[in-house]
Amino acid sequence: CALPIYNENKTLALNAVTGSWQLTQGGTIQGGTVMATDGAGLLVPQVGVGILAGVTLGTDVMVGDTGILTVTQGLTLQGATVTLAGQGSGSPILRFEGTQTVAGTGALVFGGQISSAVYVFGDQQTPATLTLGPGIAVQAQQHGSIYSGTGGDQVLLKGTLAVATPGTILTVTAPLTNQGAITVSNGGRLTLTNLLNEAAVTVMDAA
């Protein structure tokens, strides 16, 4: 899908008839809820570029090699997982543009076979704060990075962040305020450039 889908106050239902949808060439879903059954799903394929603007996700999303998924106006997860799943030809990217919250219950996963990145962007006049709500789990199953754009952009963690895969390194250069829980275990590694810690950080066998 390379065209904008205006889905305000509606549910976009993907199923065996519609098949899976691929967001390419700036394809945008504006508002509403996206659900999927019968093995259908929502994908940002290799070299694809997709935008979710104020969307509620009731289905998982996969971002492939060199794919870019941009989120604006907030994102709500209803038991859904957004996975950065590069397989070798280029890192997938998840971009959050402007101050917003990832709410609901679900996960943001650094997965696949290669490193991937999350970016938080504001502008010079209005820095962005990305809030990861209490029901959101950030999971580093593969190498990854969380970056900020302009000066003042930051991440507020109210959910959980876990690095628990042996040898995996998650690097966070964006300023991070922890009001949730950070866990490093099983031989994973976490590098933090600018941490304001107001909650639990647990390190278990993380050498």
Side-chain angles (χ1 to χ4, degrees):
C1 175
L3 299 174
I5 303 297
Y6 297 101
N7 196 45
E8 296 284 356
N9 302 313
K10 299 176 183 177
T11 296
L12 174 61
L14 306 179
N15 51 42
V17 175
T18 65
S20 295
W21 277 29
Q22 297 188 2
L23 296 177
T24 62
Q25 300 176 10
T28 302
I29 300 176
Q30 173 72 55
T33 300
V34 181
M35 305 291 290
T37 57
D38 303 326
L42 189 61
L43 312 170
V44 180
Q46 183 174 355
V47 199
V49 177
I51 300 170
L52 299 178
V55 169
T56 295
L57 284 175
T59 183
D60 296 343
V61 177
M62 300 283 287
V63 184
D65 287 330
T66 64
I68 301 174
L69 177 61
T70 298
V71 177
T72 65
Q73 303 171 39
L75 179 67
T76 300
L77 303 182
Q78 293 184 341
T81 298
V82 178
T83 302
L84 299 171
Q87 299 303 309
S89 65
S91 297
I93 294 173
L94 177 59
R95 294 167 48 105
F96 291 93
E97 293 192 356
T99 293
Q100 57 188 305
T101 297
V102 182
T105 302
L108 305 178
V109 176
F110 295 87
Q113 302 299 317
I114 60 174
S115 65
S116 50
V118 171
Y119 286 86
V120 180
F121 282 101
D123 56 46
Q124 295 294 341
Q125 289 71 40
T126 310
T129 297
L130 172 64
T131 300
L132 301 170
I136 302 303
V138 179
Q139 302 171 0
Q141 300 173 2
Q142 181 56 267
H143 301 314
S145 301
I146 301 176
Y147 299 108
S148 57
T150 59
D153 299 332
Q154 60 182 319
V155 178
L156 173 59
L157 176 70
K158 295 188 174 183
T160 61
L161 186 156
V163 188
T165 300
T168 291
I169 302 171
L170 179 64
T171 302
V172 182
T173 60
L176 174 67
T177 299
N178 175 35
Q179 296 179 354
I182 296 174
T183 303
V184 183
S185 62
N186 226 20
R189 290 178 56 189
L190 175 63
T191 300
L192 298 164
T193 300
N194 187 346
L195 171 67
L196 174 60
N197 190 51
E198 300 176 358
V201 176
T202 303
V203 179
M204 300 179 294
D205 187 26

